[in-house]
Amino acid sequence: MRVKFWYLAVPLALAAATGIVQANSDVEKNIANPANWAMQAGDMYNQRYSKLNQINTSNVGKMQVAWMFSTGVLRGHEGSPLVIGDMMYIHSAFPNKVFAMDLNTQTIKWKYEPKQDPAVIPQMCCDTVNRGVAYAEGKVFLQQADSTLVALDAKSGKVVWSVKNGDPSLGAVNTNAPHIFKDKVITGISGGEWGVRGFLAAYNIKDGSLAWKGYSTGPDAEMLIDPNTTTTWKDGKVQPVGADSSLSTWQEDQWKIGGGTTWGWYSYDKALNLVYYGTGNPSTWNPAQRPGDNKWSMSIWARDVDSGKVKWVYQMTPYDEWDFDGINEMILADINVKGKATKALVHFDRNGFGYTLDRTNGALLVAQKYDPAVNWATHVDMKTGRPQVVSKYSTAQNGPDKNTKGVCPAALGSKDQQPAAFNPNNSLFYVPTNHVCMDYEPFAVEYVAGQPYVGATLAMYPPPGEKHMGNFIVWDANAGKIVQSKPEKFSVWSGVLTTAGGIACYGTLEGFLKCVDAKDINKDLFKFKTPSGIIGNVFTYQHKGQQYIGVYSGIGGWAGIGLAAGLEKDADGLGAVGGYKELANYTDLGGSLTVFALPPK
Amino acid sequence: MRVLRYLVILSLSGFFGTAIADEPLYTVVDGYKVDPDTLMGFKTWRAAACDRCHGANQQGLVGPSLIERLKTLSKADFVKTVTEGRLDKGMPSFNTSKMVMTNMDHLYAYLKGRSDGAITKSKVEPIQ
C-alpha cells in the first residue's frame, strides 16, 4: 500500500505544486522569458533568436569578458549551456560532466560526472563531443556518450531515473542533446559508421519509461509508418508512401545494419503536434554494397509526438554515395513562400542544398544550392524531389577502388550539425557553412559487429583555386538565394545567435567570437579571441538586468580533426599536412566557457 | 621462446631494412608497389578505418602519427595495442575483427614500411 501511495502521490503533488499537467507548459513558460536560455536552440522551433536587445549594433563593440569557466576537459565542446532563472547548467565533452552554476554567487552548486566505460571513447571516433543538456520540471536531462539517458534532480544533481538507449558495444553511442517536447524526452542515436540502425525514441519525463521508438529503416510497423496515411513527395504532389517503402529499397537484410542515425537537433510545432528531425547516411560509405534508394536514410521526418506515428517523410539524397548525412536541424518558421504565408520547415543539408518544405504536409517548395561550389548534382528535380547526379562525381558509377576527385561539398557537407539561426525581423536565415571539397574512394568492407564499418578513404581541401574553407551566409528561404556571403578562413563550425539587438554572432575555428550587423554581415562589430577554437553554439541570457552573450570554446569535432586532415590533396605527404598545421598556428585543445557583457556604466 | 626469437628477427629487419633478415618484412618497388602481404596490410589498414584517427597518410590526427610512433614502438607493443586497444585514449580494441587479427603481421609490415620511409605513398599497389 505504501508503494502505491507514493506512486500516486508524487506526480499528484508535483502537478498540484506547479499547477501544470504537461511538461511542455513548463518549458514553454521558461522559453517565453527571454532572460532564460531554456533550450539548446532557445526555443522549440530551432530558431536561435533572442528578443534581448540591451546588447545591440550600437554597443556590441564595447563588450568585455564578464567571466570565464573551464570544464577541465580537453576535447571538442559543442552545444551550449542552459540558463533557467538564477541557474546555469554547463556540460562537457566525454566524460559528460554537468555543472550547476549559481549565477548569483558564481559557485558550483553541484557537479555530476557519470562513470562510463572507456570502451565508449573509441566508438565515438574521432571525437567525444556532447551537444548539451535539456531542462524541464525541475529535472536536468543528459544524454551520455554510453547511450544512457539520465534525469538529474535540478536542485541536487542526484539521478532521478536512468535508462539505456542503445548498445554501445555495437557502436550505438550518443552525442546529441535530448529535447523536451510535451511530456516526452526525445533522443536519437549515433553510429552510422558502425552499421547502427537509426531510430528516434521518446521517453516519459516522469519515469523514463519508453513511450515509443521509431526506426529509420525496415518494416513499416517498426518505423511507425502507416502505408496509407504516412505521406511523401511523389510526382509533384503529397501522396501516401505505400507498403514496404523502406524494405523495397534495400537488398535483403541490409537495412538491419543500414544506418540512418539521428544525432542532430530536433524541433517541435505545438499546433501540429509534430516533431521534426533528419536521418543520417546509409551504412557503409561504399555504395556498391547497398544498391537501392536506402530509405529512409537521408530523410526529413515529421512524427506525432504522442504516438511517434510518421505524418510525412521526404528523402533528400536517395542512394547516398558521399556521406551527405542528413541530420542537420529543421528550422520551423512562418514565412512567405511564393507569395503565400507558409508554415515552413527550412533545412540546410549536408548535400549542399537549402530546402524549404511545407511543414504541415511535407510538400517540397524550394531546393537550391547554398554554396556555389556544390557540383555533385546539377539541381533538385522539383517533381520527383531527387537531386540530378553528375556522373563524373558519382562514386557509385565510378565504382569501388576508384578515386572520385573534386566532389563538392566534402563529406562534412556544406554545413554539418552547427545550427543556423532565423531572424524574424527580416525573415532571413544566418547560416554557418563549410566550403570544402573532397576525393572519395570507396572500397569493399565487411560488417563486424562493434567494429568500424566505413568503407571509403577521403581527402578534403578547399574548392579549386580558393583558399578559404568556410562562409558565413545570409539565406532567403523563399527565393532559395544567398543574400550575403562572408568568407572565413576555416569552416564556420559554430551555432549562430541572432537577436532583437540587430546582431548575429558566431564563433570560428581559430577561436574568435564574432558579432556582425545582421544587415551587413561583412561588418565585424565585435571580435574576441577565446582560449581555443569554437565549435560550440552562441547563446544569450539576462541576469539581474544585465544581458550576457556566451560561447564554449574547445576545438575538436570533425572540424578540428577531419577537416584538418586533408587540406592538401595528396596522398604522398608525410607528417602533418598544410592546413592542419595552419589551424595549429591559431589554437589548441581546451574546453571553457567565455561570457561577455557590456562594461558597467 | 620461439615467439621471442621471431619478434627479434622482425625488429631487426625493421631496424636494418630489408637486406639483413632472412625474410624481409616488406618488399617495395618505386616507393609504392609492394608484395602481396604488405598490400594486404594496406587493405587491412583501410578496412579497419585507422585513417579516421591516424590520418590518411598515417601523419596523426586525434591519434598519434604512426610514422613517428613506429620508429620506437616494439612489434610486441604494436600487437598488444591493436589487439587490446588503449581505450581511454580512444584506440579501439580490434580483437573481434578477423581481418585485423589474421593480418596483424601484414598490417605491421605496411606501417613499418611507411614509418621507415621506404613506402613513400599511403596508397600502395601490387608489384606487377
Side-chain angles (χ1 to χ4, degrees):
Chain A
M1 280 311 287
R2 215 172 141 192
V3 174
K4 268 192 179 160
F5 170 77
W6 268 103
Y7 182 71
L8 289 170
V10 172
L12 280 176
L14 267 178
T18 51
I20 51 164
V21 193
Q22 292 168 332
N24 189 0
S25 336
D26 185 44
V27 180
E28 272 184 307
K29 187 188 72 197
N30 288 333
I31 59 177
N33 178 359
N36 294 325
W37 189 258
M39 294 186 74
Q40 285 293 328
D43 67 11
M44 299 195 189
Y45 272 29
N46 265 342
Q47 292 191 349
R48 309 193 53 76
Y49 171 80
S50 168
K51 288 180 184 146
L52 298 180
N53 62 6
Q54 189 182 88
I55 298 170
N56 54 49
T57 47
S58 71
N59 60 20
V60 65
K62 294 183 189 138
M63 276 204 310
Q64 296 178 348
V65 173
W67 58 281
M68 302 177 81
F69 180 79
S70 168
T71 65
V73 175
L74 291 178
R75 300 279 283 262
H77 280 57
E78 291 183 345
S80 79
L82 296 184
V83 176
I84 292 103
D86 290 333
M87 295 300 297
M88 178 183 283
Y89 301 98
I90 298 166
H91 77 282
S92 79
F94 190 93
N96 310 138
K97 298 182 201 176
V98 181
F99 301 91
M101 166 85 71
D102 184 335
L103 293 172
N104 290 321
T105 56
Q106 291 198 320
T107 50
I108 299 167
K109 229 171 137 187
W110 53 261
K111 177 183 153 186
Y112 172 75
E113 184 172 340
K115 292 231 179 321
Q116 302 186 71
D117 184 348
V120 171
I121 301 173
Q123 303 277 31
M124 305 185 78
C125 179
C126 282
D127 205 13
T128 52
V129 296
N130 180 288
R131 300 194 185 86
V133 296
Y135 178 95
E137 278 194 344
K139 292 190 188 90
V140 174
F141 301 89
L142 170 70
Q143 178 61 78
Q144 296 173 192
D146 65 2
S147 95
T148 308
L149 176 67
V150 293
L152 306 172
D153 182 296
K155 288 215 160 67
S156 66
K158 296 243 157 47
V159 175
V160 181
W161 55 255
S162 158
V163 63
K164 203 84 186 151
N165 181 52
D167 183 352
S169 72
L170 300 178
V173 295
N174 278 98
T175 56
N176 66 277
H179 289 66
I180 309 290
F181 302 130
K182 233 170 170 176
D183 56 350
K184 311 273 193 307
V185 194
I186 312 283
T187 191
I189 199 76
S190 299
E193 282 63 58
W194 266 257
V196 169
R197 181 184 174 206
F199 60 82
L200 199 74
Y203 297 92
N204 292 303
I205 284 180
K206 198 172 53 168
D207 56 8
S209 59
L210 183 70
W212 52 260
K213 184 172 181 176
Y215 283 96
S216 309
T217 62
D220 293 339
E222 292 179 21
M223 296 188 293
L224 308 179
I225 278 181
D226 179 330
N228 302 314
T229 59
T230 300
T231 58
T232 193
W233 184 251
K234 272 196 280 198
D235 302 326
K237 50 181 190 263
V238 173
Q239 297 184 54
V241 286
D244 297 331
S245 58
S246 171
L247 290 179
S248 60
T249 63
W250 291 92
Q251 246 179 16
E252 292 154 10
D253 279 353
Q254 283 182 329
W255 54 269
K256 288 182 179 169
I257 51 166
T261 56
T262 50
W263 48 276
W265 311 94
Y266 323 134
S267 49
Y268 173 65
D269 184 321
K270 187 185 169 189
L272 299 166
N273 202 35
L274 295 173
V275 55
Y276 299 93
Y277 69 102
T279 46
N281 57 289
S283 312
T284 122
W285 289 10
N286 174 20
Q289 283 177 254
R290 44 168 176 76
D293 279 353
N294 307 146
K295 283 174 177 159
W296 293 92
S297 67
M298 301 300 209
S299 300
I300 301 173
W301 297 68
R303 286 185 189 270
D304 182 277
V305 165
D306 295 323
S307 63
K309 242 187 90 174
V310 182
K311 165 91 173 153
W312 60 263
V313 59
Y314 167 76
Q315 190 177 42
M316 297 168 287
T317 313
Y319 190 43
D320 172 61
E321 313 167 34
W322 312 268
D323 183 37
F324 292 152
D325 198 333
I327 61 87
N328 292 355
E329 78 285 1
M330 310 298 157
I331 306 173
L332 313 185
D334 298 338
I335 55 174
N336 275 313
V337 183
K338 299 177 177 166
K340 263 174 55 186
T342 303
K343 281 177 179 286
L345 173 153
V346 175
H347 169 77
F348 301 93
D349 197 57
R350 285 256 285 265
N351 73 12
F353 286 90
Y355 292 85
T356 307
L357 283 82
D358 180 334
R359 72 174 181 269
T360 65
N361 61 7
L364 179 64
L365 304 174
V366 177
Q368 294 290 340
K369 296 174 182 178
Y370 64 94
D371 180 355
V374 174
N375 64 9
W376 69 278
T378 53
H379 64 286
V380 172
D381 180 89
M382 295 306 284
K383 214 170 157 208
T384 59
R386 293 179 78 99
Q388 303 302 296
V389 177
V390 176
S391 297
K392 187 175 153 192
Y393 301 117
S394 168
T395 74
Q397 288 175 40
N398 294 335
D401 299 309
K402 296 274 175 357
N403 199 5
T404 298
K405 295 188 172 185
V407 185
C408 311
L412 36 64
S414 296
K415 186 177 93 58
D416 201 276
Q417 61 76 31
Q418 65 273 31
F422 175 64
N423 182 354
N425 302 311
N426 59 10
S427 293
L428 297 172
F429 294 80
Y430 292 72
V431 194
T433 74
N434 309 323
H435 189 56
V436 185
C437 305
M438 69 174 168
D439 299 344
Y440 189 110
E441 183 173 332
F443 56 86
V445 64
E446 197 185 332
Y447 176 78
V448 178
Q451 292 288 337
Y453 186 53
V454 182
T457 305
L458 277 60
M460 299 192 240
Y461 43 84
E466 298 190 53
K467 285 193 173 137
H468 70 287
M469 293 177 295
N471 291 303
F472 181 60
I473 68 162
V474 182
W475 177 255
D476 180 338
N478 168 32
K481 285 206 158 65
I482 298 167
V483 181
Q484 292 179 45
S485 184
K486 178 195 186 198
E488 285 286 351
K489 187 169 177 57
F490 299 102
S491 290
V492 187
W493 204 279
S494 153
V496 181
L497 171 76
T498 53
T499 80
I503 54 172
C505 304
Y506 64 95
T508 72
L509 285 183
E510 300 102 306
F512 288 105
L513 173 76
K514 293 184 179 182
C515 291
V516 299
D517 186 337
K519 291 201 178 99
D520 178 4
I521 60 167
N522 283 294
K523 228 185 253 173
D524 276 345
L525 299 176
F526 178 78
K527 187 175 163 183
F528 181 87
K529 181 79 186 274
T530 66
S532 177
I534 297 176
I535 59 171
N537 304 334
V538 188
F539 72 109
T540 187
Y541 67 97
Q542 186 169 294
H543 185 246
K544 293 192 168 161
Q546 175 113 37
Q547 184 186 353
Y548 296 87
I549 289 177
V551 71
Y552 284 129
S553 45
I555 190 83
W558 204 3
I561 294 165
L563 191 154
L567 291 178
E568 254 167 44
K569 265 179 152 173
D570 122 358
D572 36 22
L574 293 178
V577 280
Y580 191 38
K581 244 192 195 152
E582 227 186 322
L583 193 52
N585 289 342
Y586 294 89
T587 187
D588 206 335
L589 302 176
S592 61
L593 171 68
T594 308
V595 178
F596 302 84
L598 294 173
K601 277 180 193 147
Chain B
M1 285 316 287
R2 207 175 142 219
V3 175
L4 269 181
R5 220 167 34 241
Y6 179 59
L7 291 176
V8 170
I9 290 169
L10 279 175
S11 70
L12 279 177
S13 69
F15 277 113
F16 301 111
T18 54
I20 289 178
D22 296 333
E23 284 187 42
L25 193 52
Y26 51 79
T27 307
V28 57
V29 178
D30 299 339
Y32 68 96
K33 294 172 193 159
V34 297
D35 62 278
D37 284 351
T38 306
L39 185 70
M40 206 53 207
F42 162 71
K43 288 190 169 169
T44 304
W45 151 268
R46 210 169 59 158
C50 310
D51 59 309
R52 281 168 69 83
C53 293
H54 294 286
N57 303 305
Q58 294 87 23
Q59 80 276 17
L61 290 171
V62 68
S65 159
L66 298 181
I67 304 291
E68 293 307 316
R69 201 69 190 87
L70 264 73
K71 291 189 199 305
T72 51
L73 191 74
S74 70
K75 170 87 189 281
D77 284 344
F78 172 84
V79 173
K80 186 172 189 288
T81 304
V82 174
T83 307
E84 297 171 14
R86 283 184 181 160
L87 301 179
D88 55 332
K89 297 203 156 150
M91 173 72 186
S93 140
F94 286 95
N95 61 10
T96 61
S97 167
K98 204 176 136 210
M99 179 143 190
V100 172
M101 295 312 287
T102 54
N103 290 290
M104 186 69 81
D105 291 345
H106 307 325
L107 177 63
Y108 180 74
Y110 165 69
L111 292 173
K112 194 70 185 151
R114 288 286 293 149
S115 178
D116 292 344
I119 301 175
T120 56
K121 286 186 180 185
S122 172
K123 194 186 173 191
V124 291
E125 293 171 14
I127 298 171
Q128 292 303 321

